[in-house]
Amino acid sequence: MAHQHQHQHQHQHQHNGRHGGGGHRLETVINMAPPPPEKAGGGRFGFTGGLEFTSLTYTVVKKQRGAGGEWEKKDVDLLHEITGYAPKGCVTAVMGPSGAGKSTFLDALAGRIASLDGRVALDGVEMSPSLIKRSSAYVMQDDRLFPMLTVYETLLFAADFRLGSSVSASDKKLRVDNLIEQLGLTSSRNTYIGDEGTRGVSGGERRRVSIGVDIIHGPALLFLDEPTSGLDSTSAHSVIEKVHDIACAGSTVVLTIHQPSSRILLLLDHLVILARGQLMYSGGPKEVASHLGRMGRRVPKGENSIEHLLDVIQEYEQSEFGVKALAEFCLTGLKPPKLTATYGAEGLSTVSSIAQTPLAGAPDADAGFDHSLRSQHSRSPWLGGGAAQLTPSRRPKRQQQQNGRQPYTPEIVMGTPTPLSSACTVSEGDYLTPAHRANATGAPGVGINALGHRGKFANSYPVEVWVLMRRNFTNIWRTPELFLSRLMVLTVMGFLMATMFTKPKDNPQGITNRLSFFIFTVCVFFFSSNDAVPAFIQERFIFIRETSHNAYRASAYVVAGIITYLPFLLLQSATYAAIVWFALRLHGQFLYFLVMLYACLLSTNSFVVFISSVVPNFILGYAAVIAFTALFFLFCGYFLSSHSIPLAWKWMNWVSTMKYPYEGLLMNEFDGDRVFAAEKTFTLTGDDILRQLGISTEEGRKWRMVLYLLAWAVFYRVLFYLVLRFASKNKRK
C-alpha cells in the first residue's frame, strides 16, 4: 500500500509538473506540514481538486423609471463578485430565494455567458468557455429528448456522438448497459421516451435519461439546472441519489435546487447560497448552524438550519440594509446589524438596530468582526500571505495521519469564510478519479486534464453525418405520419387534378385549364411542407442542447437533414407526377416535369426549415410561412406577367421561388410549334402562348429554371446553417 501510494504520488507530480508546477503544490499538501505564514505567500496550493471561481460578475443594462418618471438605463449586477469553489467528488448545490441568480450563476460556471467578468479554474487550470464546453455537461431544466426513441437508443446515440469512433461499438454498448444499470433504468430500457401523445417513461426516469445523455462520456464537470423541478419527492430523491453516485465516481457536480427535502439535504456535500446575485454562504450543510451562530442568529431548536438561513436572508432583504450586510459578513467577517422583529397591524416586520460597526481608532475597533478561523481575517492561502490551519477539534473526521504526516486542509478557500465540506479530504486517492488512478498505476486510462486536450469534436465529419442520418431515419420510421401526411396530401390532390382536368381539349378553354392546373400544382407543392414547422421547432431545442457541448457540428446536422429527406421528397414528387401526367396527357418531357417538382419540394422544404430556425414558436412560424408563400404566389407571374409588374416590385418577382417552377412547367408544356387552339380567325401555338404570358421561348432556358430553383434551395440551407451556427448558441448576451 505504501509502495502504491508512492507510485501514485510520483505520477501525480510528473503530470502536474507539465501544467505550471501543479505537482509541486500537490506534493506540498500531501507530504509537508502546514507551511509557516511567511512562506505561504508564494502562491496558491493544491486541494482535493474541483472547480474554483473568483470574482464572477455579470452586469446587464436595464431600463428603470427615474425619480422624474422618465425611463433611464442603469447597470445592474445579476452576479456580483462571487468567489468560491465546488470540490471534486462532491455534489455542490446552489440555493437561494427566487431571483437570487442561481441559474445565472450556473450559466456563468458553464461558460454560457458571453460578457462575464471573473475567473473559472478546474483543478488549478484556468478554463476558457470553449474548454469548459469540451470537458463538461449541462443538463437543462426541460428534458429535450426524441419521444419515439427508447431509453437504450437515446443513450446509444449519445454514446456515438460523445465517445467518437476511437471507442468500438461493443464498448459503447457495454458503457450504455452499465450506465442504464447505474441510473436505475433497467426496467425501462426498451421503453419509448414518450410525450403528450405517446405513453413513455415516468418523469423521474426521463430526467435520469437526460442526465445519462450528458454523462455518457464521463465529463469532468456536470451542471444541472433544477434537476428536481416537476418531480414528486420520491423521484426527486432518486435523481439526486444518482447524481451523488456520479459525483462519488470523481466528477465535479454543481446543481441548482429549490427547497430540497431533508432526505435530499443528506446527499448534498457543499452549498453555495446566493441572494440578489451576492454570495451569502459557501461551505458544508453541517456548518450552516455555526455560520448563523457567528452571525448572532442561532438556529431555533427543531428548525432546519438552511431554511433558517434563507429566512434570515429574506428578513435582511426586506430591511433597509438589504442582503449586502450578509454578503459583507460572508466576505470579511464584519457582523451584520441586528434586526428586531416586531408585530404590528400589518403583520411581522423587521426593524434594524444600531449598526455594530465600531468607530475607527477606538480601543475595540474590531469588536464587530468575527475572529474565528472561518473568517476572512485568518489569511486564506488561496490569496497568499498566510496559511490557515485546522484545530484538532475541527479537523474533518475522515482525515487521518498518513505515513506519519499530518494531512492539511484549507480552512478558508478562495476568500470565503466558511470551511471546506467535511466530506472532502486531501488524500491523493480522493484527488484522482478512477480513470486517473488507472493511469497512475500504469493501466490504460485518461490522464488528469485529458479532457481538456481532446479535439473539439469526438467524431470525424462523415461519422457525424452518418450517425445523424441513422437517428433521422429511426425517427421517421417511428413517426410515419410526418411523411405519410404529405404523401397522402399530394396523392389526393393528384387524383383531384386528374379527374377535374382530364384530357384538356385544344381550345382556349383547354389552355386556361392547363394554366390553372400548373399554378395549382405549384401552390400545392409549396404549401405541402408547412407541417415541417412544428417538427423542426421541437427538434431545435434538442439541437441546441446537444451542440452546446460539441456533440456534433451544425453543418453535419444540416447535411444529414438534406440527405435524409431526399428519397422521401423524390417519392412524393414521383407519386404526384405519375398520377397527373398520363391522365392529363401533358406534353413536353416527363423527366423534366418530375425533376422540376422535385426541385420545388427541395426549395420549399429549405425555405420552411429556415423560417422555423428564426421564429420562436410554431404559431409565428405558420404565420410567417403562409405570409411569405402568399407573397411568392402574388409575384410569381400568374396574376401579372413578369413584364407587367411595376419596376419597384420587380425584385419580388426574382425573389419569388414560385416564379421558377411556374415558368419552367409552362415552358415544358407549351414549348414548340404545336397548335393548342385553332379557330377560324387565329391559331395559337405553344410559342405564341408563352410570348403572350411574357415567358421566354429560348431553347434550354427551362433547365435554367431548375438550376435557379436549386440555387434558392441551397441559399436557404446556407441561411439555415448560419442561424444554427451563430444565432442558436445557448448563451446569455
Coordinates of all heavy atoms in Angstrom, one line a residue, residues 200-263:
G200 N -44.8 6.9 -22.3 CA -43.4 6.5 -22.2 C -43.0 6.4 -20.8 O -43.8 6.0 -19.9
V201 N -41.7 6.8 -20.5 CA -41.2 6.6 -19.2 C -41.8 7.7 -18.3 O -42.4 8.6 -18.7 CB -39.6 6.8 -19.2 CG1 -39.0 5.7 -20.1 CG2 -39.2 8.1 -19.8
S202 N -41.6 7.5 -17.0 CA -42.1 8.4 -16.0 C -41.2 9.7 -16.0 O -40.1 9.8 -16.6 CB -42.1 7.8 -14.6 OG -40.8 7.5 -14.2
G203 N -41.7 10.7 -15.2 CA -40.9 12.0 -15.1 C -39.5 11.8 -14.5 O -38.6 12.4 -15.0
G204 N -39.4 11.0 -13.5 CA -38.1 10.8 -12.9 C -37.2 10.0 -13.8 O -36.0 10.3 -13.8
E205 N -37.7 9.0 -14.5 CA -36.9 8.3 -15.4 C -36.5 9.1 -16.6 O -35.3 9.0 -17.1 CB -37.7 7.1 -15.9 CG -37.9 6.0 -14.9 CD -38.9 4.9 -15.3 OE1 -39.7 5.2 -16.2 OE2 -38.7 3.8 -14.8
R206 N -37.4 10.0 -17.1 CA -37.0 10.9 -18.1 C -35.8 11.8 -17.7 O -34.9 12.1 -18.5 CB -38.2 11.7 -18.6 CG -38.0 12.6 -19.8 CD -39.1 13.6 -19.9 NE -40.4 13.0 -20.0 CZ -41.0 12.7 -21.1 NH1 -40.4 13.0 -22.3 NH2 -42.1 12.1 -21.1
R207 N -35.9 12.3 -16.5 CA -34.8 13.2 -16.0 C -33.5 12.5 -15.9 O -32.5 13.0 -16.2 CB -35.3 13.8 -14.6 CG -34.3 14.9 -14.1 CD -34.3 16.1 -15.0 NE -35.6 16.5 -15.4 CZ -36.3 17.4 -14.7 NH1 -35.8 17.8 -13.5 NH2 -37.5 17.8 -15.1
R208 N -33.6 11.2 -15.5 CA -32.4 10.4 -15.4 C -31.8 10.1 -16.8 O -30.6 10.0 -16.9 CB -32.6 9.1 -14.6 CG -32.6 9.3 -13.1 CD -32.9 8.0 -12.3 NE -34.4 7.8 -12.2 CZ -34.9 6.7 -11.9 NH1 -34.2 5.6 -11.7 NH2 -36.2 6.6 -11.7
V209 N -32.7 9.9 -17.7 CA -32.2 9.7 -19.1 C -31.5 11.0 -19.6 O -30.4 10.9 -20.2 CB -33.3 9.3 -20.1 CG1 -32.9 9.3 -21.5 CG2 -33.9 8.0 -19.7
S210 N -32.0 12.1 -19.3 CA -31.4 13.4 -19.7 C -30.0 13.5 -19.1 O -29.1 14.0 -19.7 CB -32.3 14.6 -19.3 OG -33.5 14.6 -19.9
I211 N -29.9 13.1 -17.8 CA -28.6 13.1 -17.2 C -27.6 12.1 -17.8 O -26.5 12.4 -18.1 CB -28.8 12.8 -15.7 CG1 -29.6 13.9 -15.0 CG2 -27.4 12.7 -15.0 CD1 -29.9 13.7 -13.5
G212 N -28.2 10.9 -18.1 CA -27.3 9.9 -18.7 C -26.8 10.4 -20.1 O -25.6 10.0 -20.5
V213 N -27.6 11.1 -20.9 CA -27.2 11.6 -22.2 C -25.9 12.4 -22.1 O -25.0 12.4 -22.9 CB -28.3 12.3 -22.9 CG1 -27.8 13.1 -24.1 CG2 -29.4 11.4 -23.3
D214 N -25.9 13.2 -21.0 CA -24.8 14.2 -20.8 C -23.6 13.7 -20.1 O -22.6 14.3 -20.1 CB -25.3 15.4 -20.1 CG -26.2 16.3 -21.0 OD1 -25.7 16.6 -22.2 OD2 -27.3 16.6 -20.7
I215 N -23.7 12.5 -19.4 CA -22.6 12.0 -18.7 C -22.0 10.7 -19.3 O -21.1 10.1 -18.8 CB -23.0 11.7 -17.2 CG1 -24.0 10.5 -17.2 CG2 -23.5 12.9 -16.5 CD1 -24.2 10.0 -15.8
I216 N -22.5 10.4 -20.5 CA -22.1 9.1 -21.1 C -20.6 9.2 -21.4 O -19.9 8.1 -21.4 CB -22.9 8.9 -22.4 CG1 -22.6 7.5 -23.0 CG2 -22.6 9.9 -23.5 CD1 -23.1 6.4 -22.2
H217 N -20.0 10.4 -21.6 CA -18.6 10.5 -22.0 C -17.7 10.8 -20.8 O -16.6 11.1 -20.9 CB -18.4 11.6 -23.0 CG -18.8 12.9 -22.6 ND1 -20.1 13.2 -22.2 CD2 -18.2 14.1 -22.5 CE1 -20.2 14.5 -21.9 NE2 -19.1 15.0 -22.0
G218 N -18.3 10.7 -19.6 CA -17.5 10.9 -18.4 C -17.0 12.3 -18.2 O -15.8 12.5 -18.1
P219 N -17.8 13.3 -18.2 CA -17.3 14.7 -18.1 C -16.7 15.0 -16.8 O -17.1 14.4 -15.7 CB -18.6 15.5 -18.3 CG -19.7 14.7 -17.8 CD -19.3 13.3 -18.2
A220 N -15.7 15.8 -16.8 CA -15.1 16.3 -15.5 C -16.0 17.2 -14.7 O -15.9 17.2 -13.5 CB -13.7 17.0 -15.8
L221 N -16.9 17.9 -15.4 CA -17.8 18.8 -14.8 C -19.2 18.4 -15.2 O -19.5 18.2 -16.4 CB -17.5 20.3 -15.2 CG -16.2 20.9 -14.7 CD1 -16.0 22.2 -15.4 CD2 -16.4 21.1 -13.2
L222 N -20.2 18.5 -14.3 CA -21.6 18.2 -14.6 C -22.4 19.3 -13.9 O -22.3 19.5 -12.7 CB -22.0 16.9 -14.1 CG -23.5 16.5 -14.2 CD1 -23.9 16.5 -15.7 CD2 -23.8 15.2 -13.6
F223 N -23.1 20.1 -14.8 CA -24.0 21.1 -14.3 C -25.5 20.7 -14.5 O -25.8 20.2 -15.6 CB -23.7 22.4 -15.1 CG -22.3 22.9 -14.9 CD1 -21.4 22.7 -16.0 CD2 -21.9 23.6 -13.8 CE1 -20.1 23.2 -15.9 CE2 -20.6 24.0 -13.7 CZ -19.7 23.8 -14.8
L224 N -26.3 20.9 -13.5 CA -27.7 20.5 -13.6 C -28.5 21.7 -13.1 O -28.3 22.2 -12.0 CB -28.0 19.3 -12.8 CG -27.2 18.0 -13.1 CD1 -26.1 17.9 -12.0 CD2 -28.1 16.8 -13.1
D225 N -29.5 22.1 -14.0 CA -30.4 23.3 -13.6 C -31.7 22.7 -13.2 O -32.5 22.2 -13.9 CB -30.6 24.1 -14.9 CG -31.3 25.4 -14.6 OD1 -31.5 25.7 -13.4 OD2 -31.8 26.1 -15.5
E226 N -31.9 22.8 -11.8 CA -33.2 22.4 -11.2 C -33.5 21.0 -11.6 O -34.6 20.7 -12.2 CB -34.3 23.3 -11.6 CG -34.2 24.7 -11.0 CD -34.5 24.9 -9.6 OE1 -34.9 23.8 -8.9 OE2 -34.4 26.0 -9.0
P227 N -32.7 20.0 -11.3 CA -33.0 18.6 -11.7 C -34.2 18.0 -11.1 O -34.7 17.0 -11.5 CB -31.7 17.8 -11.3 CG -31.1 18.6 -10.2 CD -31.4 20.1 -10.5
T228 N -34.7 18.6 -10.0 CA -35.8 18.0 -9.3 C -37.1 18.7 -9.6 O -38.2 18.4 -9.0 CB -35.6 18.0 -7.7 OG1 -35.4 19.4 -7.3 CG2 -34.3 17.3 -7.4
S229 N -37.1 19.7 -10.4 CA -38.3 20.5 -10.7 C -39.4 19.6 -11.4 O -39.1 18.9 -12.3 CB -38.0 21.7 -11.6 OG -37.6 21.3 -12.8
G230 N -40.6 19.7 -10.9 CA -41.7 19.0 -11.5 C -41.8 17.5 -11.1 O -42.6 16.8 -11.6
L231 N -40.9 17.1 -10.2 CA -40.9 15.7 -9.7 C -41.5 15.6 -8.3 O -41.4 16.5 -7.5 CB -39.5 15.1 -9.8 CG -38.8 15.2 -11.1 CD1 -37.4 14.6 -11.0 CD2 -39.5 14.4 -12.2
D232 N -42.1 14.4 -8.0 CA -42.5 14.1 -6.7 C -41.3 13.8 -5.8 O -40.2 13.7 -6.3 CB -43.5 13.0 -6.7 CG -42.9 11.7 -7.2 OD1 -42.2 11.0 -6.5 OD2 -43.0 11.4 -8.4
S233 N -41.5 13.8 -4.5 CA -40.4 13.7 -3.6 C -39.6 12.4 -3.8 O -38.3 12.4 -3.7 CB -40.9 13.7 -2.1 OG -41.8 12.7 -1.9
T234 N -40.2 11.3 -4.1 CA -39.5 10.0 -4.3 C -38.7 10.1 -5.6 O -37.5 9.7 -5.5 CB -40.5 8.9 -4.4 OG1 -41.3 8.8 -3.2 CG2 -39.8 7.6 -4.6
S235 N -39.2 10.6 -6.7 CA -38.5 10.7 -7.9 C -37.3 11.7 -7.8 O -36.2 11.5 -8.3 CB -39.4 11.1 -9.0 OG -40.4 10.2 -9.3
A236 N -37.6 12.8 -7.1 CA -36.5 13.8 -6.9 C -35.4 13.2 -6.1 O -34.2 13.4 -6.4 CB -37.1 15.0 -6.2
H237 N -35.7 12.5 -5.0 CA -34.6 11.9 -4.2 C -33.9 10.8 -5.1 O -32.6 10.7 -5.0 CB -35.2 11.2 -3.0 CG -34.2 10.5 -2.1 ND1 -34.0 9.1 -2.3 CD2 -33.4 10.9 -1.2 CE1 -33.0 8.8 -1.4 NE2 -32.7 9.9 -0.7
S238 N -34.6 10.1 -5.9 CA -33.9 9.1 -6.7 C -32.9 9.8 -7.7 O -31.8 9.3 -7.9 CB -34.9 8.3 -7.5 OG -34.3 7.4 -8.4
V239 N -33.4 10.9 -8.3 CA -32.5 11.6 -9.2 C -31.2 12.1 -8.5 O -30.1 12.0 -9.0 CB -33.3 12.8 -9.9 CG1 -32.3 13.7 -10.6 CG2 -34.3 12.2 -10.8
I240 N -31.4 12.8 -7.4 CA -30.2 13.3 -6.7 C -29.3 12.2 -6.2 O -28.1 12.4 -6.1 CB -30.7 14.2 -5.5 CG1 -31.6 15.4 -6.0 CG2 -29.5 14.8 -4.7 CD1 -30.8 16.3 -7.0
E241 N -29.9 11.1 -5.8 CA -29.1 9.9 -5.4 C -28.2 9.5 -6.5 O -27.0 9.2 -6.3 CB -30.1 8.8 -4.9 CG -29.4 7.7 -4.2 CD -30.4 6.7 -3.6 OE1 -31.4 6.4 -4.3 OE2 -30.1 6.2 -2.5
K242 N -28.8 9.4 -7.7 CA -27.9 9.0 -8.9 C -26.9 10.1 -9.2 O -25.7 9.8 -9.5 CB -28.8 8.8 -10.1 CG -29.9 7.7 -9.9 CD -29.3 6.4 -9.4 CE -30.4 5.4 -9.2 NZ -29.8 4.1 -8.6
V243 N -27.2 11.3 -9.0 CA -26.3 12.4 -9.2 C -25.1 12.3 -8.2 O -24.0 12.5 -8.5 CB -27.0 13.8 -9.1 CG1 -25.9 14.9 -9.1 CG2 -27.9 14.0 -10.3
H244 N -25.5 12.0 -7.0 CA -24.5 11.8 -5.9 C -23.5 10.6 -6.2 O -22.3 10.7 -6.0 CB -25.2 11.5 -4.6 CG -24.3 11.5 -3.4 ND1 -23.7 10.3 -2.9 CD2 -23.8 12.5 -2.6 CE1 -22.9 10.6 -1.9 NE2 -22.9 11.9 -1.7
D245 N -24.1 9.6 -6.8 CA -23.2 8.5 -7.2 C -22.2 8.9 -8.3 O -21.1 8.5 -8.4 CB -24.1 7.3 -7.7 CG -24.9 6.7 -6.6 OD1 -24.5 6.9 -5.5 OD2 -25.9 6.0 -7.0
I246 N -22.7 9.8 -9.2 CA -21.9 10.3 -10.3 C -20.7 11.1 -9.7 O -19.6 11.0 -10.1 CB -22.7 11.1 -11.3 CG1 -23.7 10.2 -12.0 CG2 -21.8 11.8 -12.3 CD1 -24.7 11.0 -12.8
A247 N -21.1 11.9 -8.7 CA -20.0 12.7 -8.0 C -19.0 11.8 -7.3 O -17.8 12.1 -7.4 CB -20.7 13.7 -7.1
C248 N -19.5 10.8 -6.7 CA -18.5 9.9 -6.0 C -17.6 9.2 -7.0 O -16.5 8.7 -6.6 CB -19.3 8.9 -5.2 SG -20.2 9.6 -3.8
A249 N -18.0 9.1 -8.2 CA -17.1 8.5 -9.2 C -16.0 9.4 -9.6 O -15.1 8.9 -10.4 CB -17.9 8.1 -10.4
G250 N -16.0 10.6 -9.2 CA -14.9 11.5 -9.5 C -15.2 12.8 -10.2 O -14.3 13.6 -10.5
S251 N -16.4 13.0 -10.5 CA -16.8 14.3 -11.3 C -17.1 15.4 -10.3 O -17.4 15.2 -9.1 CB -18.0 14.0 -12.1 OG -17.8 13.1 -13.2
T252 N -17.0 16.6 -10.8 CA -17.4 17.8 -10.0 C -18.8 18.1 -10.4 O -19.0 18.5 -11.6 CB -16.4 19.0 -10.3 OG1 -15.1 18.6 -9.9 CG2 -16.9 20.2 -9.5
V253 N -19.7 18.1 -9.5 CA -21.2 18.2 -9.8 C -21.7 19.5 -9.2 O -21.5 19.7 -8.0 CB -22.0 17.0 -9.3 CG1 -23.5 17.3 -9.6 CG2 -21.5 15.7 -10.0
V254 N -22.3 20.4 -10.0 CA -22.9 21.6 -9.5 C -24.3 21.7 -10.0 O -24.6 21.5 -11.2 CB -22.1 22.9 -10.0 CG1 -22.7 24.1 -9.4 CG2 -20.6 22.8 -9.7
L255 N -25.2 21.9 -9.1 CA -26.6 21.9 -9.4 C -27.4 23.0 -8.7 O -26.9 23.4 -7.6 CB -27.3 20.5 -9.2 CG -27.3 20.0 -7.7 CD1 -28.5 20.5 -6.9 CD2 -27.3 18.4 -7.8
T256 N -28.4 23.5 -9.3 CA -29.3 24.4 -8.6 C -30.5 23.7 -8.1 O -31.0 22.7 -8.7 CB -29.8 25.5 -9.6 OG1 -30.5 25.0 -10.7 CG2 -28.6 26.3 -10.1
I257 N -31.0 24.0 -6.9 CA -32.1 23.3 -6.3 C -32.9 24.3 -5.5 O -32.4 25.2 -4.9 CB -31.6 22.1 -5.5 CG1 -32.8 21.2 -5.2 CG2 -30.8 22.6 -4.3 CD1 -32.3 19.8 -4.6
H258 N -34.2 24.1 -5.4 CA -35.1 25.0 -4.7 C -35.9 24.1 -3.7 O -36.6 23.2 -4.1 CB -36.1 25.6 -5.7 CG -36.9 26.7 -5.0 ND1 -36.4 27.9 -4.5 CD2 -38.2 26.8 -4.8 CE1 -37.4 28.6 -4.0 NE2 -38.5 28.0 -4.2
Q259 N -35.7 24.5 -2.4 CA -36.4 23.8 -1.3 C -36.2 22.3 -1.4 O -37.2 21.5 -1.6 CB -37.9 24.1 -1.4 CG -38.2 25.6 -1.0 CD -39.7 25.9 -1.0 OE1 -40.5 25.1 -1.6 NE2 -40.1 26.9 -0.3
P260 N -35.0 21.8 -1.2 CA -34.8 20.3 -1.1 C -35.4 19.7 0.2 O -35.5 20.4 1.2 CB -33.3 20.2 -1.1 CG -32.8 21.5 -0.5 CD -33.8 22.6 -0.9
S261 N -35.8 18.5 0.1 CA -36.3 17.8 1.2 C -35.2 17.4 2.1 O -34.0 17.5 1.8 CB -37.1 16.5 0.8 OG -36.2 15.6 0.1
S262 N -35.5 16.9 3.3 CA -34.5 16.6 4.3 C -33.7 15.4 3.8 O -32.5 15.3 4.1 CB -35.2 16.2 5.6 OG -36.1 15.2 5.5
R263 N -34.3 14.5 3.1 CA -33.5 13.3 2.5 C -32.5 13.8 1.5 O -31.4 13.3 1.4 CB -34.5 12.3 1.9 CG -35.4 11.6 2.9 CD -36.0 10.4 2.3 NE -36.9 10.8 1.1 CZ -37.4 9.9 0.2 NH1 -37.1 8.7 0.3 NH2 -38.1 10.4 -0.8

